[in-house]
Amino acid sequence: VGKATQGLANFINKQGAAAKGVAIAFDSRRMSPEFADTAACVLAANGIKAYIFDSLRPTPELSFALRTLGCTAGIVVTASHNPPEYNGYKVYWEDGAQITAPKDAQIIGEVNAIKDYAEIKKMTTEEAKAAGLYEVIGKEIDDKYMEALKKLVLHPEAIKQMASSLKIVYTPLHGTGNVPVRRVLKELGFEQVTVVPEQELPDGNFPTVSYPNPEDKKAFALALDLAKKVDADLVLATDPDADRLGVYAKDTKTGEYKVFTGNMSGMLICEYEMSQKKALGILPDNGALVTTIVSSNMAQAVAKEYGMKFIECLTGFKYIGEQIKFFEQTGSNEYVFGFEESYGCLVGTHARDKDAVVAVMALCEAAAYYKTQGITLWDQMLNIYNKYGYYKEDLFTMTFKGADGAKKMQDMMDAYRKNTPKQVGAYKVLRLRDYKNDVITDLATGETTPTGLPKSNVLYFELENDAWFCVRPSGTEPKIKFYAGIKGTSLEDSAKKLDELMEAIKNA
């Protein structure tokens, strides 16, 4: 942690940006407060002021804080939704988004240039405070963050109408979401919020879940039990650093709780925000919907419906955050909504990273609004499918451990490049997007065009009938990820088509 921070400090000082300081947040994981304090003290020893939260906070609040304080950079100590034995260190730049090229490589270069731990400058917390280079932050930032979120509400009257009848079960999964999520729902007027007691308090050992990830259905076991007892309309879970949201909603016709994928909840919030902004006359003419290349193709249909510019980025919310910066620099577009399939989205531009606190707020507001119309979130999801088509997506991974794992993964990627399949299952391959070589090849004509995105070892196969699949090695684990999506005519048809496509990819 000291080495990483010394490298960051060297970069900041070379940029002449030390005067603005660095904001630091941390989550509930083992050693997160100690690691955050270490980072603050190393910055101070390099003459850079650290603004450090007094206790755990969500990752999106760090993005908000560094922009509010006018800092040059930010650090979050978190391993997000990974198992308890992990921790991590994320760096943000002054726009509030995680660092992208070329700064990411430049900062890593500074870190790797430190060959001796003796090069790390040190100072005690007390010395740093005495020098005016260590400032503890908290309530004043929390209050401003809450105000920024509440300004995004479109239908306060619907919340008021349904405040006492809409029942919400929520779990922070032992992470950072408990206080801000409950606070924003309470201040908006929601009265029926029940928190899973066994998962309410922060605990870096995550004793009630093997994997604190709202993408994992097992993480919802306690919440769903509680939902049945209190007859909840909605069941929500945020991951430990509160940037991802998992959702179940009740189907009143069957009494079942239906799970929403990240694509489904993203599209539900997106359709709500765009349709209601249009109805209220506040949808910008030059608005943009930003997503990633592995997210649902339904996003393109929604953007077209509302006359929004549709922008696809590489996988990772930092690229969505970067687009907001580009919009502000050029005035080309106005950000309306951004999401990725891995359960993250952002309403508003108060933060430049995915924000599960604002996602909870928007989803609960949508639930209240649709309840005034006599429908549930599940009913509304079916309405969306009927409107745009039954898009369905999934992914699977292949693990390659050991010394030869990386070579096997590279060989697999090379094989796809050299021997591009012409047919996958029932689908003809129309185009191959090779992001590593920045080329899109039309398989029928051989015509090539650039992808227009940064280079990345990703292959995307455009199939007929709005189907697709994508292959990419994981950036953090010895795995290759396979994503796929189709468009069906019903829930049953889309499930069948997706199963068949996934099977065909596995056998390709």
Side-chain angles (χ1 to χ4, degrees):
V1 171
K3 182 178 175 180
T5 310
Q6 185 61 52
L8 175 62
N10 290 347
F11 179 77
I12 289 170
N13 279 322
K14 283 179 183 175
Q15 297 275 313
K20 296 200 290 182
V22 174
I24 303 174
F26 55 91
D27 68 5
S28 59
R29 286 179 181 271
R30 301 167 188 165
M31 298 292 289
S32 283
E34 291 85 350
F35 292 149
D37 178 69
T38 296
C41 290
V42 171
L43 289 168
N46 283 273
I48 301 166
K49 185 170 182 176
Y51 297 87
I52 182 167
F53 275 104
D54 55 2
S55 62
L56 73 169
R57 291 297 191 285
T59 288
E61 190 173 349
L62 180 278
S63 175
F64 174 81
L66 83 86
R67 287 168 50 73
T68 302
L69 294 165
C71 293
T72 198
I75 298 166
V76 186
V77 180
T78 179
S80 188
H81 56 288
N82 284 293
E85 61 268 28
Y86 292 93
N87 212 332
Y89 183 106
K90 294 200 277 198
V91 175
Y92 291 70
W93 205 241
E94 61 189 354
D95 63 318
Q98 283 189 62
I99 48 169
T100 53
K103 285 190 177 64
D104 50 2
Q106 291 166 346
I107 292 170
I108 287 292
E110 292 289 352
V111 175
N112 291 336
I114 298 165
K115 300 300 181 193
D116 187 334
Y117 285 108
E119 293 175 49
I120 301 167
K121 295 178 182 174
K122 294 191 172 79
M123 194 181 248
T124 66
T125 307
E126 289 69 31
E127 288 167 342
K129 284 179 178 174
L133 294 170
Y134 188 117
E135 184 175 325
V136 177
I137 57 174
K139 185 182 182 301
E140 68 286 1
I141 298 293
D142 297 338
D143 292 347
K144 286 179 180 174
Y145 177 57
M146 285 293 132
E147 286 310 307
L149 297 192
K150 288 189 289 185
K151 281 179 188 162
L152 299 167
V153 171
L154 301 174
H155 285 300
E157 74 289 346
I159 295 174
K160 195 172 180 184
Q161 192 179 333
M162 294 297 163
S164 60
S165 59
L166 185 75
K167 293 182 179 176
I168 302 156
V169 162
Y170 167 64
T171 173
L173 297 177
H174 305 290
T176 60
N178 186 38
V179 172
V181 165
R182 291 170 84 165
R183 178 176 171 183
V184 78
L185 292 179
K186 185 178 180 183
E187 290 186 10
L188 288 173
F190 291 100
E191 295 170 22
Q192 301 280 345
V193 181
T194 309
V195 177
V196 177
E198 301 92 333
Q199 297 173 331
E200 177 184 358
L201 297 179
D203 189 333
N205 296 315
F206 306 110
T208 63
V209 280
S210 57
Y211 183 37
N213 185 354
E215 293 178 67
D216 183 359
K217 291 179 183 179
K218 291 189 213 115
F220 272 91
L222 289 170
L224 286 169
D225 284 346
L226 183 57
K228 285 163 194 163
K229 282 177 193 157
V230 301
D231 191 30
D233 298 282
L234 272 180
V235 191
L236 308 173
T238 53
D239 70 337
D241 68 327
D243 62 358
R244 295 171 191 239
L245 171 66
V247 181
Y248 277 77
K250 191 173 187 185
D251 176 3
T252 46
K253 294 176 186 70
T254 63
E256 277 181 86
Y257 286 97
K258 299 283 193 178
V259 65
F260 286 62
T261 64
N263 282 315
M264 290 164 71
S265 58
M267 288 291 86
L268 190 73
I269 295 170
C270 180
E271 174 71 12
Y272 175 74
E273 292 291 319
M274 290 196 178
S275 65
Q276 297 315 305
K277 283 183 175 174
K278 184 179 179 184
L280 293 166
I282 55 171
L283 189 65
D285 292 336
N286 66 337
L289 167 56
V290 191
T291 187
T292 65
I293 58 174
V294 297
S295 300
S296 176
N297 277 0
M298 187 191 279
Q300 196 161 0
V302 175
K304 187 179 177 187
E305 168 75 10
Y306 292 103
M308 297 290 102
K309 185 173 177 66
F310 177 70
I311 296 173
E312 282 186 307
C313 308
L314 292 175
T315 310
F317 215 92
K318 62 186 178 182
Y319 297 112
I320 297 175
E322 186 178 42
Q323 288 296 319
I324 304 174
K325 176 179 74 178
F326 294 155
F327 297 159
E328 289 177 345
Q329 287 170 344
T330 64
S332 59
N333 290 95
E334 196 172 321
Y335 175 88
V336 177
F337 186 71
F339 84 104
E340 59 183 2
E341 54 77 38
S342 57
Y343 291 62
C345 72
L346 177 64
V347 180
T349 57
H350 60 283
R352 302 300 161 91
D353 206 345
K354 50 188 181 280
D355 185 346
V357 185
V358 81
V360 166
M361 185 190 88
L363 202 74
C364 291
E365 181 198 336
Y369 173 78
Y370 292 125
K371 196 162 184 171
T372 67
Q373 312 291 304
I375 62 171
T376 66
L377 283 189
W378 181 248
D379 295 329
Q380 172 59 8
M381 194 70 233
L382 295 177
N383 290 341
I384 290 170
Y385 281 135
N386 285 325
K387 183 176 178 182
Y388 298 108
Y390 286 79
Y391 291 85
K392 191 170 173 65
E393 304 78 25
D394 204 355
L395 82 155
F396 68 90
T397 58
M398 292 175 70
T399 302
F400 298 86
K401 287 188 175 171
D404 59 344
K407 184 179 184 305
K408 283 180 183 171
M409 290 199 292
Q410 194 49 55
D411 288 348
M412 184 179 276
M413 296 298 288
D414 289 344
Y416 271 120
R417 279 190 176 91
K418 289 172 188 158
N419 306 299
T420 304
K422 304 285 187 289
Q423 182 95 10
V424 181
Y427 301 94
K428 190 188 289 182
V429 181
L430 304 179
R431 279 174 290 278
L432 170 64
R433 303 184 209 165
D434 183 345
Y435 290 98
K436 186 177 182 182
N437 294 316
D438 188 29
V439 64
I440 301 172
T441 306
D442 185 309
L443 296 195
T445 65
E447 189 184 338
T448 60
T449 49
T451 67
L453 293 184
K455 290 195 174 186
S456 183
N457 192 13
V458 180
L459 294 170
Y460 187 105
F461 299 83
E462 293 181 37
L463 311 178
E464 59 187 345
N465 301 329
D466 224 348
W468 60 277
F469 84 95
C470 180
V471 190
R472 75 176 184 96
S474 168
T476 55
E477 300 167 288
K479 291 177 178 176
I480 283 192
K481 292 187 171 185
F482 294 81
Y483 303 80
I486 56 86
K487 182 182 178 184
T489 55
S490 67
L491 288 177
E492 296 73 25
D493 178 62
S494 59
K496 181 172 177 285
K497 282 179 175 165
L498 185 60
D499 285 345
E500 288 170 354
L501 177 56
M502 294 297 267
E503 200 54 42
I505 295 166
K506 287 173 186 173
N507 295 325

